[in-house]
Amino acid sequence: MVNDRPERPDRLARPLTSEAPVPSPPSLPSPPSPPFAESVPSGRAALSALPGLFAEEGRVRAFAAVALGAGSAAQVAAAAGLSVKDASAALRRLREQGVVTSGGDGELVVAHDRFRELAREAREARGTEPATGDPGVEDDRAGMIVRTFVKDGRLVRLPARWTRKKVVLRHIAEQTFVPGAEYPERTVDEKLRAWCDEGDVDHVTLRRHLVDLGHLRRSGGTYWRPALSDRAGTA
């Protein structure tokens, strides 16, 4: 019997000579460069830019907000009393100068290393290094110590380190007693109680430290603060 149907090639028997092309994986974009990495000035250009950077109140307020913990433009705007637009513009300038950056968690932080770098560049530009005997450096250090342990005219606590303790005690003596003036013990205690209000140190301990350091001298029940020349002569 003759088969009248036309012959069809057997699709299953056809050899697989090629396969559909496998698409190549999409190329990953290159990691973005750190923001403003190329625009951050250095050297004298950076130092000269700082006064202008902080001459605008909005940038000062934005910087203060970041220093106090605001981690985003919205938080900076709320903390600094700025619009989000103004806060973003201020932050952009601060980041361009490298004084504000993003931390490991992506939140805004003050670039403390940047300030240390600028301080080093300033010293190099002057050709000087901070010296222990430099009166300006010593005054800055003493002021920082006093601000840490004295708040609103009250002694919060005495520093544990003796060198810092002497700075705080000298400040209290200079602010409380006039050199050469005589004070009865009752008056001394009243004046020192004002420093100790709501603090961790009592006035008796404070008076004893002042006497031990020579900031106050005592004879019977009378106290006085010696003049600087008198203290230098007995040191």
Side-chain angles (χ1 to χ4, degrees):
M1 182 175 179
V2 178
N3 187 355
D4 295 332
R5 290 182 300 175
E7 296 183 357
R8 294 181 301 176
D10 190 346
R11 293 182 179 181
L12 296 178
R14 185 173 58 189
L16 299 176
T17 57
S18 63
E19 295 182 357
V22 178
S24 301
S27 59
L28 296 176
S30 301
S33 300
F36 311 113
E38 297 180 357
S39 61
V40 174
S42 60
R44 293 186 178 181
L47 294 173
S48 61
L50 281 183
L53 178 67
F54 290 106
E56 202 276 318
E57 182 183 357
R59 291 194 286 267
V60 174
R61 291 162 66 176
F63 180 84
V66 174
L68 292 174
S72 67
Q75 292 175 358
V76 169
L82 301 170
S83 67
V84 175
K85 178 180 178 181
D86 289 343
S88 298
L91 290 170
R92 182 170 62 254
R93 289 287 291 122
L94 294 170
R95 291 173 67 101
E96 286 173 354
Q97 296 297 324
V99 297
V100 167
T101 186
S102 296
D105 55 1
E107 293 195 345
L108 298 169
V109 293
V110 172
H112 295 288
D113 288 342
R114 175 64 170 160
F115 284 100
R116 283 190 284 268
E117 174 189 348
L118 292 174
R120 183 174 62 252
E121 290 174 352
R123 292 194 298 269
E124 291 174 353
R126 294 195 306 266
T128 59
E129 289 294 326
T132 304
D134 186 342
V137 173
E138 292 298 322
D139 289 345
D140 289 343
R141 289 175 179 171
M144 181 182 65
I145 293 170
V146 169
R147 288 191 295 272
T148 301
F149 295 96
V150 176
K151 304 291 185 182
D152 299 324
R154 300 290 186 272
L155 176 63
V156 180
R157 67 182 186 280
L158 281 174
R161 292 176 58 180
W162 184 241
T163 53
R164 295 184 177 183
K165 186 180 297 185
K166 290 193 293 185
V167 171
V168 173
L169 291 169
R170 183 180 67 231
H171 171 79
I172 292 174
E174 291 174 348
Q175 296 297 315
T176 308
F177 304 104
V178 178
E182 295 184 348
Y183 303 89
E185 186 172 287
R186 176 170 50 84
T187 302
V188 172
D189 288 346
E190 289 175 356
K191 288 179 174 293
L192 296 182
R193 281 195 187 96
W195 286 96
C196 300
D197 187 28
E198 299 181 1
D200 294 338
V201 183
D202 62 87
H203 70 281
V204 176
T205 300
L206 189 54
R207 171 162 48 83
R208 185 174 66 250
H209 282 314
L210 293 175
V211 171
D212 290 344
L213 286 174
H215 293 303
L216 283 179
R217 290 183 181 173
R218 176 177 56 194
S219 178
T222 302
Y223 293 76
W224 70 96
R225 179 183 161 214
L228 183 59
S229 57
D230 293 340
R231 293 190 59 205
T234 58

